[in-house]
Amino acid sequence: MKYLAEFRDGDIAQKLAADIRAITTRPWAIMEVCGGQTHSILRNGIDQLLPPEVELIHGPGCPVCVTPLDMIDKALAIAALPGVIFTSFGDMLRVPGSEKDLFRVKSEGGDVRIVYSPLDAVQIARENPAKQVVFFGIGFETTAPANAMAVHLAKREGLGNFSMLVSHVLVPPAIDAIMSAPGNRVQAFLAAGHVCSVMGFWQYPPLATRHAVPIVITGFEPLDVLEGIRRTVQCLETADYRVDNAYARVVTFDGNAPAQALLAEVFTVTDRAWRGIGVIPASGWRLSDAYADYDAEHRFDVGAIRTVESALCRAGEVLQGSIKPSQCEAFGTQCTPRTPLGATMVSSEGACAAYFNYGRFHTLERATVG
């Protein structure tokens, strides 16, 4: 535990917060891309340590939250088919589709199982040759290598009863889309350290240059986040629009080359819809032609999917940083973790869940960014 304690020292946190206050001379809006960072910020009260001029905007970096509704409805339809064992990480089971969630499908007789790794799903396929085993493969570059390995193993072993419903998304195109959107207020990014541990950060310098924004790669412990914010504010105050790696104990420029090679073999870049945001060009992965036989969307004909979004849920605006969760009229009343209207309230990385769990029912007073 000593390794973690070093990054949770309260005295050092106060000093970093004081440093941030000392160098801040005007309003800045900084987006933390990852939902894990959002939860760390709110759980540790980092937002309350910052000067009022520094506003943290919560980004779309929750894999469950950005999985589009039509993909969830497809998962529900496949999971309800006879002879199918549908496997997923636990977060996805409570995400509401147009009419129900995966827990409801399970209660209605569907064979829906929580797994802790896509390789567990491959093992279930080995043990159940008479059943079709489907894994719901979602997430960013962080989770994709394990999912790619699962499909790779299934093909190598000739497991014809395994397939994957793929809804992977990529961070750099999302940053590009956010900065290109009309009315964008984001002036800098805290990039997710775990994504960069896989992909490196060679994709980020062109983005920083094109949009004149500093991008600081940051971890998830309190001191990681505070140091990332300190470096970001320093860059903003000096108009230094570069990529800075504040998570060097994990992240290198080139990243994990074997993982990237496996991803390039199993997946192909494709346009991808993000829930609440829309289609972002070249922002996702699908299975490559060599692995197309393992694509659950092709294997199962679930018919035409008609999606119906909640009229009350404003998760899309939360994911784009347009509003804070507590500014949604349904937050904490019609929408709670027990009665979620959208994925941002039910996911363990969702911004609405963080605001609810850590008592942010009111928005902090912030300076206006001109």
Side-chain angles (χ1 to χ4, degrees), residues 39-231:
H39 276 253
S40 181
I41 288 164
L42 297 175
R43 180 173 58 247
N44 296 292
I46 290 172
D47 54 326
Q48 298 171 328
L49 291 175
L50 300 177
E53 291 86 357
V54 176
E55 179 185 7
L56 296 179
I57 297 176
H58 316 307
C62 166
V64 172
C65 303
V66 298
T67 301
L69 185 59
D70 74 309
M71 194 61 74
I72 294 169
D73 285 343
K74 286 178 183 177
L76 295 168
I78 293 171
L81 292 174
V84 167
I85 301 174
F86 193 88
T87 62
S88 170
F89 297 134
D91 271 12
M92 290 304 299
L93 268 66
R94 293 193 61 230
V95 176
S98 294
E99 297 180 355
K100 61 179 76 174
D101 58 27
L102 283 167
F103 269 128
R104 174 67 66 85
V105 173
K106 184 176 179 66
S107 72
E108 293 172 348
D111 193 347
V112 178
R113 304 184 189 183
I114 295 173
V115 293
Y116 297 97
S117 161
L119 302 183
D120 294 340
V122 174
Q123 181 61 26
I124 292 172
R126 294 188 189 107
E127 295 169 350
N128 295 272
K131 299 275 190 174
Q132 286 289 326
V133 178
V134 181
F135 178 73
F136 201 175
I138 69 160
F140 291 85
E141 294 92 331
T142 320
T143 55
N147 293 350
M149 179 56 73
V151 180
H152 179 81
L153 279 177
K155 182 177 182 182
R156 191 175 73 183
E157 297 180 18
L159 288 174
N161 66 326
F162 177 84
S163 61
M164 187 173 290
L165 183 61
V166 178
S167 187
H168 274 299
V169 287
L170 306 173
V171 170
I175 290 178
D176 198 28
I178 289 168
M179 292 306 299
S180 302
N184 165 61
R185 297 190 305 123
V186 177
Q187 296 168 296
F189 289 91
L190 299 179
H194 51 12
V195 168
C196 295
S197 71
V198 175
M199 301 304 295
F201 57 94
W202 49 270
Q203 299 174 79
Y204 289 86
L207 286 172
T209 300
R210 181 160 64 250
H211 296 292
V213 290
I215 301 174
V216 178
I217 299 152
T218 309
F220 302 88
E221 293 300 324
L223 299 192
D224 286 322
V225 176
L226 278 165
E227 172 62 10
I229 294 170
R230 188 191 68 79
R231 293 193 191 193

Side-chain angles (χ1 to χ4, degrees), residues 229-246:
I229 294 170
R230 188 191 68 79
R231 293 193 191 193
T232 304
V233 172
Q234 185 68 59
C235 287
L236 287 167
E237 291 281 346
T238 57
D240 184 3
Y241 306 125
R242 62 190 171 93
V243 179
D244 187 10
N245 182 12

